[in-house]
Amino acid sequence: MAHITFNTKNIENFVADHELAEMQPLITMADQQLRNRTGAGADYSDWITLPTDYDKDEFSRIQKAAKQIMSDSKVLVVIGIGGSYLGAKMAVDFLNPMFNNELPERDRQGVKVYFAGNSTSASYLNDLVRVIGDQDFSVNVISKSGTTTEPSIAFRVFKQLLEKKYGTADAKKRIYATTDANRGALHDESVAEGYEMFTIPDGVGGRFSVLTAVGLLPIAASGADIQALMDGAHDAQVEYSEADITKNEAYKYAATRRILYDKGYTTELLINWEPSMQYLSEWWKQLMGESEGKNQKGIYPSSANYSTDLHSLGQYIQEGRRDLFETVVKLDSPVSNLDLPHEEGNNDGLQYLEGITIDEVNTKASQGVTLAHVDGGVPNLALHLPAQDAYTLGYMIYFFEMAVGASGYTFGINPFNQPGVEAYKTAMFALLGKPGYEEQTKDFRARLGE
Ligand code: PA5
């Protein structure tokens, strides 16, 4: 089956062949730390073998639960934040038509999927409650720690909505909890209330968890093929099993971006040319940023949606500070295409485009932008996706996970922890007066002049 390919032909002016070869010892060291589980944070590297070793019984339960949701609900509300929602959102958007939730039921494979608990916005929750209206719905609440504030708040709101609509006993049958196997508030509540539970394996961190129940249940409920997703990841696991950069494209990507970083290209823009791939960038930003951004090191992961952002960020990318490089994720063939409609005359000046498809315009635009940006001093890497399907997505997920695992070790950091995300929580809890934060409350309130 065709799979993703990584292309470096547009960095010839920026990276010499010998520089890539010189990265091999560092990559070999990183590969050994990763696979022999001798590197920092190795307890959280079970994602490496997940596409082979996943829990098949739980996988069947996920498929069964998805069918149940499709049979008794029109809507699934997926509650989670960070690694507990971005992968699912990426996949639901990538594997379904744009505007899937707005399509008539007969044109949709699964239920409508909405996400909640990924912000502290009251308006968002109110608006989503209004959108659900009187439609039948179920809830998948996802939290590894089981104590994260944003999803906990949203869960209260939607749990009470379920109880009001269906009564306490029947509401419980519509709640699916994905959390730690043994501990945490969500775990304890789920056991006590009898919710159907799915587990997030101990050795898989949030941002690496899309191929666990965290991603799989919402993706399956949307009607997408989760077996093909796992098959793609499995084949990538086999493909990216060597340390040799010339044979392992995930490592070639890791090595190339590391060389660029050492030359001062410290910001990477993930580029897509399909609106349905915007959340691919959001998922990738968390994966890269939370894994690499430590000890004042790491490539800053950013993104741009083309051609949309060429009309906003394009100027900066072409002529601003020369510390950017681009990694373009380009589909080799779109899910659907469209001929430019014929029109008499040439009032809109588009006659020269007649006879070509709109996807050909997209492709020519992407080729032209790459040439212009390379001329402007922006190194350009490319990842080609043969199709917008579940197999390809699974393959790509594994490609980026493998790349960032190795990359983190080349930076000499622990790619699997996220100590920095606690700082804001301490300040927020102190200001909200959470028990246990009394010491900090005084200090933070004083700084706000309260
Ligand atoms: O990658 C991570 O660990 C974080 O982004 C978490 O996924 C996020 O904070 C949500 O945590 P939890 O699943 O414990 O609610």
Side-chain angles (χ1 to χ4, degrees), residues 81-84 143-145 148 206-207 286 290 418:
I81 194 165
S84 291
S143 176
K144 184 160 192 193
S145 62
T148 308
R207 58 191 173 276
Q286 187 201 3
E290 238 176 46
Q418 53 283 327

Side-chain angles (χ1 to χ4, degrees), residues 1 87 104-105 115 172 221 225 252 258 286 296 306 334 359:
M1 195 178 265
E105 207 172 324
F115 291 85
K172 288 178 188 174
D225 181 353
K252 188 177 178 185
R258 179 58 208 266
Q286 187 201 3
Q296 284 82 52
Y306 290 169
D359 188 59

Side-chain angles (χ1 to χ4, degrees), residues 335-358:
V335 172
S336 69
N337 206 342
L338 185 63
D339 291 328
L340 184 73
H342 170 71
E343 201 172 279
E344 290 305 322
N346 191 24
N347 288 343
D348 58 8
L350 287 185
Q351 208 169 51
Y352 77 105
L353 290 179
E354 286 200 14
I356 70 171
T357 66
I358 292 177

Side-chain angles (χ1 to χ4, degrees), residues 37-67:
R37 298 177 186 242
T38 51
D43 286 353
Y44 287 94
S45 51
D46 284 357
W47 55 269
I48 298 174
T49 49
L50 189 65
T52 320
D53 294 344
Y54 64 94
D55 180 339
K56 313 290 184 304
D57 290 338
E58 182 166 90
F59 191 83
S60 301
R61 259 193 330 114
I62 291 170
Q63 288 175 312
K64 219 172 128 204
K67 279 204 184 113

Side-chain angles (χ1 to χ4, degrees), residues 243-262:
D244 186 340
I245 301 173
T246 63
K247 295 188 179 136
N248 183 333
E249 291 195 330
Y251 284 175
K252 188 177 178 185
Y253 169 59
T256 308
R257 56 199 290 287
R258 179 58 208 266
I259 295 167
L260 289 167
Y261 173 83
D262 288 341

